[in-house]
Amino acid sequence: MLDYVNWFRHSTPYINTHRDCTFVVLLPGEALADPNFVNIVHDIISLNSLGVRLVLVHGSRPQIEERQSARGISSSYHNDLRVTDSATLNCVMDAVGSLRIAIEAQLCSAPTTSGQGSRLRVVSGNFVTAKPIGVVDGVDFHHTGEVRRIDRKAISRHLDESAIVLLSSIGYSPTGEVFNLACEDVATSTASALEADKLILFGPDQGIFNAEGELLRELKPTRAQPLLNALGNSLPGSLLAAACKACEKGVRRAHIVSYSHDGALLTELFTRDGGGTLVTQEAFEVIRTATIDDVGGLLELLRPLEEAGILVRRSREILETEISQFTLVERDGMIIGCAALYPLEDSSAAELACVAIDPNYRHGGRGDQLLAHIEAQARALKLDTLFVLTTRTAHWFRERGFVPSAVERLPAKRASLYNYQRNSKVFEKAL
């Protein structure tokens, strides 16, 4: 029970952050066939009840192949794209239509969190305009197409009415032709057209792994090419390629999560570290100057250390006054570290104060990064000495070049404020 309470408390900021955001969710055909899909449906409904605007895009590759096999039709591919002749198109329409009905039925039959008698609305339609790929390298793709346009206004109107919009991997031309599309193309094009806050892609694995078998929690598109080469045309490779393409098209964040692990979607969205792989052009973790809006987060970070007597207690009023002196480590919108630089009057020295790292993130070198940032900031101000006063972490500062000093070495004005009852040790470092 305590684990649940702690999780719920830490998820609250994300609940507020995600409200009224637009998420495009890609559910490949493999995800729809997985036994865990019923749990994914429950999690999607939970997101809808929390005010998230949802567009679901479903694939159908394995279901199409099942129908081809049953009818004795062989699959033909070129450049990793299915060649869709007339016989294959019939299999595509059969598979897509059946899946769309099954998904709508599951979404509408699952219990909602909005109270007795509430009704979840699922909307699908001809929101995707397509065009033929045509002939490539002498190969006629027939009814295989690519996205030409997404009806952004129509989709947004339904999202404004709290409906879930369901898109399939089929598109239509203005002349009434039907085209088989790659579900990744539909998902990335939709996310880009809607300027979605997130593109979420369900895959067979927890996320994307490097050559050593380690899960990559965060990945920038510019670093993805070796992984794409290794993954080839596998489903994880297709999802990673789609995530990178979405980011290049302006989507802020793409998440790759497992469709077979129960709760993978909620873990990724409502915990600091997530559970899958985040692909983003932005820095997931940044060091930046604090603003007045950060005071609440700072108070939460500092309170345990103040109660333990490690840091001097600072009131909200003091933090608001001194906020410009603080540098923060921010991880996915959460403040997980801080330090303050106070230039000392009538001297070329400054005091380094209030160095704090969230206990869950103390073994990633963040303290060293903060110190390096503060030292660079001090040098830019033409300062030549850093002082620090500490009661419990003297070893940490000594290991980083600070040497024992004395109160008498402090500039006179700062020395006059020294708290002898606290009896802090004084250290200094030449810059």
Side-chain angles (χ1 to χ4, degrees):
M1 176 62 74
L2 183 59
D3 289 341
Y4 167 76
V5 171
N6 288 333
W7 178 87
F8 189 78
R9 286 172 177 164
H10 285 101
S11 70
T12 302
Y14 296 98
I15 293 173
N16 294 327
T17 298
H18 297 331
R19 186 175 290 114
D20 295 325
C21 287
T22 300
F23 295 177
V24 175
V25 180
L26 174 59
L27 296 160
E30 292 83 352
L32 305 179
D34 193 88
N36 188 54
F37 181 63
V38 64
N39 295 319
I40 294 176
V41 168
H42 283 277
D43 294 344
I44 286 171
I45 291 172
S46 295
L47 291 181
N48 175 260
S49 70
L50 292 173
V52 178
R53 297 154 55 90
L54 290 168
V55 178
L56 309 183
V57 179
H58 76 86
S60 55
R61 288 192 188 100
Q63 291 83 3
I64 292 171
E65 290 170 0
E66 287 176 5
R67 285 160 173 78
Q68 284 184 298
S69 178
R71 300 176 191 184
I73 301 170
S74 60
S75 298
S76 178
Y77 291 87
H78 182 70
N79 292 341
D80 300 329
L81 283 175
R82 186 190 303 276
V83 176
T84 310
D85 57 20
S86 297
T88 301
L89 181 61
N90 288 329
C91 295
V92 171
M93 291 191 293
D94 183 9
V96 168
S98 298
L99 288 171
R100 178 179 62 79
I101 293 170
I103 294 169
E104 289 181 353
Q106 289 204 47
L107 286 169
C108 292
S109 63
T112 68
T113 58
S114 303
Q116 184 70 27
S118 61
R119 182 171 178 268
L120 180 68
R121 295 212 303 107
V122 182
V123 177
S124 57
N126 58 336
F127 300 118
V128 181
T129 301
K131 60 182 179 181
I133 289 179
V135 179
V136 179
D137 299 327
V139 176
D140 188 350
F141 277 88
H142 298 284
H143 301 283
T144 300
E146 57 188 358
V147 175
R148 179 179 177 183
R149 187 177 67 86
I150 300 294
D151 193 342
R152 179 181 59 83
K153 290 184 178 180
I155 293 174
S156 296
R157 185 169 60 251
H158 290 297
L159 294 177
D160 290 341
E161 297 172 351
S162 300
I164 292 177
V165 175
L166 178 62
L167 304 180
S168 66
S169 53
I170 277 184
Y172 308 90
S173 74
T175 56
E177 295 174 281
V178 178
F179 292 102
N180 178 27
L181 310 176
C183 59
E184 296 87 354
D185 184 19
V186 177
T188 55
S189 298
T190 303
S192 175
L194 295 176
E195 299 179 349
D197 299 278
K198 292 181 184 293
L199 170 63
I200 299 167
L201 307 121
F202 278 95
D205 304 316
Q206 186 178 353
I208 301 299
F209 293 81
N210 62 18
E212 289 72 38
E214 300 168 327
L215 175 66
L216 298 173
R217 295 289 186 182
E218 179 189 359
L219 182 63
K220 291 187 180 298
T222 52
R223 305 291 295 275
Q225 194 56 54
L227 294 164
L228 290 170
N229 294 338
L231 292 169
N233 62 352
S234 64
L235 179 55
S238 299
L239 297 178
L240 179 56
C244 294
K245 183 178 179 181
C247 290
E248 291 163 1
K249 285 187 168 186
V251 178
R252 291 179 57 203
R253 295 184 173 187
H255 303 258
I256 300 174
V257 298
S258 169
Y259 58 65
S260 60
H261 286 76
D262 187 15
L265 176 61
L266 299 184
T267 301
E268 180 69 10
L269 294 177
F270 295 101
T271 63
R272 288 188 188 179
D273 293 326
T277 296
L278 167 67
V279 181
T280 177
Q281 299 280 22
E282 303 174 334
F284 183 50
E285 191 170 300
V286 297
I287 296 179
R288 63 171 179 82
T289 302
T291 69
I292 194 67
D293 294 330
D294 297 313
V295 171
L298 266 177
L299 285 169
E300 184 176 346
L301 173 67
L302 299 177
R303 187 178 298 112
L305 296 171
E306 292 172 350
E307 291 174 350
I310 297 172
L311 294 179
V312 175
R313 190 177 297 275
R314 287 170 169 80
S315 67
R316 176 180 286 272
E317 291 73 20
I318 289 176
L319 281 178
E320 289 176 352
T321 302
E322 300 178 350
I323 194 65
S324 61
Q325 312 299 126
F326 279 80
T327 296
L328 308 178
V329 181
E330 182 184 65
R331 183 179 178 86
D332 196 24
M334 305 291 289
I335 297 172
I336 63 168
C338 71
L341 180 68
Y342 296 94
L344 300 174
E345 290 185 24
D346 303 321
S347 75
S348 59
E351 181 181 355
L352 169 63
C354 206
V355 180
I357 301 293
D358 185 295
N360 296 313
Y361 299 94
R362 285 183 182 165
H363 302 289
R366 294 173 179 85
D368 293 294
Q369 294 170 21
L370 261 178
L371 179 58
H373 189 92
I374 290 291
E375 289 179 358
Q377 187 179 345
R379 291 189 186 98
L381 295 172
K382 309 299 183 185
L383 303 174
D384 57 27
T385 306
L386 271 184
F387 286 98
V388 65
L389 281 68
T390 181
T391 58
R392 304 273 287 275
T393 55
H395 64 285
W396 191 88
F397 291 102
R398 295 200 66 173
E399 290 167 2
R400 285 152 181 83
F402 285 81
V403 298
S405 186
V407 176
E408 294 74 23
R409 287 276 298 163
L410 292 168
K413 189 168 183 178
R414 177 63 183 90
S416 68
L417 299 175
Y418 180 80
N419 186 340
Y420 285 92
Q421 184 175 0
R422 185 171 171 81
N423 196 26
S424 300
K425 294 182 181 296
V426 181
F427 293 87
E428 65 177 277
K429 181 179 183 179
L431 298 175

